Amino acid sequence: MGGDATRFDDPPAEVLQEAAAAFGLLASPARLHIVWVLSRGECDVSGLAERVGGALPAVSQHLAKLKLAGLVRSRREGRRQVYYVDDPDVVTIVRLMVGQLTARERVRGLGA
């Protein structure tokens, strides 16, 4: 592949590893749904459990993993913990992927 001027340098192995780990976490439909909901606005764990149809302990575990990976953050609001996605790039990626797949599904539905 000769001297292509549009070629970018490959990212460092550490960056690829971190990206793969983040995508791995988002590979879970439940965690992806949680991030999708949080991309629309802040929510506490009981609100998230209701929206994603999960049990409170399971949603809490998913949130803990997402927090550990730095994809989700939380802050205390009185007695409750409020969760949010602090990284606009993560929001963009999730909205783009889910939006594209939703649009594809609609087109398939029209063609059937």
Side-chain angles (χ1 to χ4, degrees):
M1 309 256 157
D4 186 311
T6 60
R7 185 175 172 268
F8 295 100
D9 289 335
D10 290 339
E14 302 80 37
V15 170
L16 291 171
Q17 186 67 35
E18 192 174 330
F23 280 120
L25 278 171
L26 293 175
S28 157
R31 285 192 288 271
L32 183 59
H33 196 174
I34 289 168
V35 173
W36 170 259
V37 170
L38 293 177
S39 78
R40 305 313 232 187
E42 299 177 341
C43 200
D44 66 7
V45 69
S46 59
L48 282 168
E50 189 176 311
R51 281 286 302 275
V52 303
L56 215 58
V59 172
S60 290
Q61 281 185 335
H62 288 308
L63 285 166
K65 289 179 182 181
L66 290 167
K67 275 182 74 172
L68 211 58
L71 297 176
V72 167
R73 296 185 69 186
S74 67
R75 63 179 170 72
R76 189 149 295 285
E77 196 175 85
R79 296 163 113 205
R80 62 189 199 126
Q81 198 81 356
V82 177
Y83 294 88
Y84 58 98
V85 180
D86 191 34
D87 186 340
D89 292 331
V90 169
V91 170
T92 300
I93 291 166
V94 169
R95 284 185 179 173
L96 180 66
M97 177 59 82
V98 173
Q100 286 294 106
L101 293 174
T102 300
R104 260 191 227 161
E105 194 60 34
R106 285 188 185 130
V107 169
R108 281 189 201 132
L110 293 174

